Structure formats: structure tokens, C-alpha cells
Amino acid sequence: EALCNALVRRTVFVTGAVGMDGCPEADRGEVAFIGRSNVGKSSLVNMLTNRKSLAFTSKTPGKTQQFNYFAVNDKPELARQIRYGDDVPGTKDGDSFYIVDLPGFGFAKVPQKQRQQWSDFMEQYFEQRETLRIVFHLIDARHGPTDEDSNIMKKVSTILGSKKAQYVIILTKADKNVKGADSETNPGKVSNAVREKLMETMKANRVAYAPVILTSAETRLGRDEVWKYLRLAAEV
């Protein structure tokens, strides 16, 4: 825990992109978080960066409407930037990297046209973003993979297979599977049925090689394990 906190000295929202031309300059490593709406992406990002409200959290699914870029260990003065792109004095730390929070998929109230735009952008991002180092695919530990999760796995096996980026599956909300969850003695778990369903889906989509990490934003379960991969982006 102390090591993770030391690795995150500053974190700030940089910009939101709706297309490749809106992404920041590719001058450092990036990690992308993708998952179904209401899977707990924003809560997990807040837990990993030790911030309470860095990424917007809401009980209404589908609130993330763009690719949200957060800079970790960037210029100390960046938080004072008024408009994205303004000249800010200073230099970023050598281990600076971007966290990218992608829009949640599978939310019925989002128009089909917008969902298709997100899907097209995601494919372009996976294919063209050379500094992408890790893709974290979040799946609810209570329910296991959905059809949308299976589709993401298919895209990953096709697109990321020839790239440097690693693919990691994160099971979220593990604390919801136990009564009286706490960080010390009972941080969370996943049922055997969900675990088996996940393994079968991964094999069917040719991503059985991917590591699986059990997490909880509430009990902070899995924080150290996720950071083992986050550090790879900071080493570019």
C-alpha cells in the first residue's frame, strides 16, 4: 500500500477525446480501462490512484461519454491549466503515464449510432495508439462475462495479438459476494460458477493467456496486483 501511494504523486484530468485526433500527444505509456456500464471503472480508477473523486462515479450507468485521459505524475503545475493545450511550465516526471477511462459498453439508453462510434474509436485506438501498454478489461465478479464482454475479448485477440500491449482481466465488486466485507479478513471473493464461466469464455475467444485479478474498490482488494501492471506503462 505504501509503495503504491509513493508511485502516485500527482494525478489530474487532462482531456476527453471522442476521436483519435483528440488524444494527447503519444509521449508516454498508457493504460486503458474498458468494461460494461456500471461495472465500477471509475471507482476502481479512484481506488488505484488513491483519489476520492478523480474519475466521475455515478449510480446512473453510461455517464462516461468519451475517452477520459488522466495524467499520472505529470508537470506539478498541470493542475492549474485552464484550457487543454495551454503552455504549462515545468517537466513531467520520468515515470509519468496516462490512465484512459473508456465509455462503458452495453448500456441500452445510449443511441445505437453513438455506441457504434465508440466501438469504431476503440478499434482505432487499439490499432493505432503505439504507446498503449495495458488494456484492463473489467468484468463484474458477481455475474461474470456477458455477450458484450465476449465481443471485447474477440476484438482483443484479433487486434492486440500483434502489439506490445498486454491484456489483463479485472473482476470488480468482489466485496459484494461476501457478507461483512472488510479489507483485513474478508475483502471479497468470486464464486466457482463465475470463475468457470469466465475461463470458458476466455478460451472460446482465444484470450485464455490473460491474467485475472480479483478486486474491490471498497476493500482495496487487488490494488497491489493491478499496480504491478500499471508500472509497466511508467517504464516506457
Side-chain angles (χ1 to χ4, degrees):
E1 183 78 9
L3 177 60
C4 292
N5 291 338
L7 291 169
V8 186
R9 296 177 294 281
R10 299 178 300 279
T11 312
V12 62
F13 172 74
V14 177
T15 189
V18 294
M20 290 300 294
D21 57 353
C23 296
E25 180 184 357
D27 61 353
R28 70 198 75 178
E30 297 181 11
V31 296
F33 288 83
I34 185 170
R36 185 175 173 82
S37 296
N38 210 29
V39 75
K41 284 192 288 88
S42 296
S43 296
L44 184 71
V45 170
N46 289 334
M47 182 267 283
L48 291 171
T49 57
N50 207 28
R51 304 294 190 273
K52 291 184 178 180
S53 58
L54 176 69
F56 180 76
T57 59
S58 172
K59 294 188 181 298
T60 303
K63 281 296 184 181
T64 301
Q65 301 284 313
Q66 56 193 358
F67 282 39
N68 287 325
Y69 270 82
F70 302 91
V72 179
N73 301 335
D74 207 309
K75 300 176 182 179
E77 296 296 317
L78 188 64
R80 299 184 182 182
Q81 177 179 256
I82 298 175
R83 293 178 303 176
Y84 172 63
D86 286 349
D87 186 31
V88 177
T91 56
K92 63 182 176 64
D93 294 357
D95 59 353
S96 179
F97 65 95
Y98 285 125
I99 290 175
V100 191
D101 183 10
L102 276 61
F105 55 80
F107 184 47
K109 290 187 179 180
V110 175
Q112 176 60 35
K113 182 179 180 180
Q114 187 171 18
R115 277 186 283 174
Q116 187 59 51
Q117 289 174 342
W118 288 348
S119 179
D120 293 344
F121 181 17
M122 182 186 68
E123 289 190 22
Q124 289 181 321
Y125 176 75
F126 283 173
E127 291 174 347
Q128 300 175 21
R129 197 66 171 174
E130 294 297 328
T131 47
L132 178 62
R133 292 293 174 263
I134 311 290
V135 174
F136 289 113
H137 180 181
L138 277 59
I139 296 174
D140 195 318
R142 299 170 297 178
H143 311 301
T146 63
D147 289 343
E148 289 91 348
D149 290 309
S150 182
N151 290 333
I152 291 297
M153 292 179 187
K154 288 179 183 177
K155 291 181 186 292
V156 165
S157 65
T158 302
I159 300 173
L160 293 187
S162 60
K163 295 181 67 68
K164 295 180 181 179
Q166 291 195 40
Y167 175 60
V168 179
I169 291 176
I170 293 180
L171 294 175
T172 62
K173 303 186 179 183
D175 60 288
K176 306 299 183 184
N177 286 328
V178 299
K179 292 183 178 180
D182 66 82
S183 58
E184 297 298 328
T185 61
N186 201 17
K189 67 178 184 179
V190 59
S191 70
N192 289 333
V194 167
R195 191 185 298 275
E196 291 174 5
K197 180 182 178 182
L198 175 62
M199 293 300 108
E200 291 173 0
T201 306
M202 292 170 66
K203 289 179 181 178
N205 291 292
R206 297 179 296 173
V207 292
Y209 59 85
V212 178
I213 303 174
L214 188 63
T215 70
S216 165
E218 296 298 322
T219 65
R220 304 173 80 81
L221 173 67
R223 187 171 187 244
D224 290 349
E225 287 76 13
V226 175
W227 258 103
K228 291 177 183 177
Y229 294 95
L230 283 172
R231 292 185 68 177
L232 298 178
E235 295 172 358
V236 175

